[in-house]
Amino acid sequence: MVATADNGTIYNFRYRHGVDEKRRVQLPMKWRPLDPATEFTLTLWPKPEQGPCLRVLPRSQFDKLLADIEARPGTDPNKGFLKRYLGSWSTQVTLDKTGRICIPEELAKKAGIEPNVEVMLVGLMNLIEIWSSDRFAKLSAVEDEQAPGAFQGLE
């Protein structure tokens, strides 16, 4: 079974979209929720090799992430760090009338996303990643090498 978003949406494929001068990026029509008031959590997500990207999580996925963190033992030093990191590097966003989300300036800078450039929106089945084009190119090169081994055992 494929994990889906709250409304049953599967976020798949990748799309190149422009970021306007106000750091707004449009979600593909098939990824937009039926209810325009639906909130997503936009968070900075570290990627050691390429640099951070942004993750767009539907409520169910953000709740699952928080539950996974809370399930860690109190002695886990990463538990407090993760709560602090996600608390300080995430925000709730909704789509505007034309299906765009606005990326806060600090998150955009950390993710290497500049106004008036193109970004890659990548579906991860149950959530979305937003990548600066140059960081996504680095990721793609790594994934091209990983793909043959990662698919072993799948039919």
Side-chain angles (χ1 to χ4, degrees), residues 24 38 41 54 78 82 89 96 105 109 137-138 148:
R24 294 175 299 196
T38 299
T41 299
L54 297 175
N78 290 324
L82 288 168
W89 288 109
D96 67 12
E105 184 175 7
K109 282 182 182 178
K138 291 177 190 175

Side-chain angles (χ1 to χ4, degrees), residues 7-8 36 45 63 90-91 116 121 123 146 154-155:
N7 61 359
W45 200 261
D63 289 348
S90 66
T91 189
N116 300 313
L121 284 80
Q146 284 180 317
L154 295 179
E155 292 185 33

Side-chain angles (χ1 to χ4, degrees), residues 76-94:
D76 183 342
N78 290 324
K79 183 175 183 174
F81 169 79
L82 288 168
K83 289 173 75 171
R84 204 169 15 267
Y85 183 91
L86 291 169
S88 62
W89 288 109
S90 66
T91 189
Q92 277 61 48
V93 296
T94 56

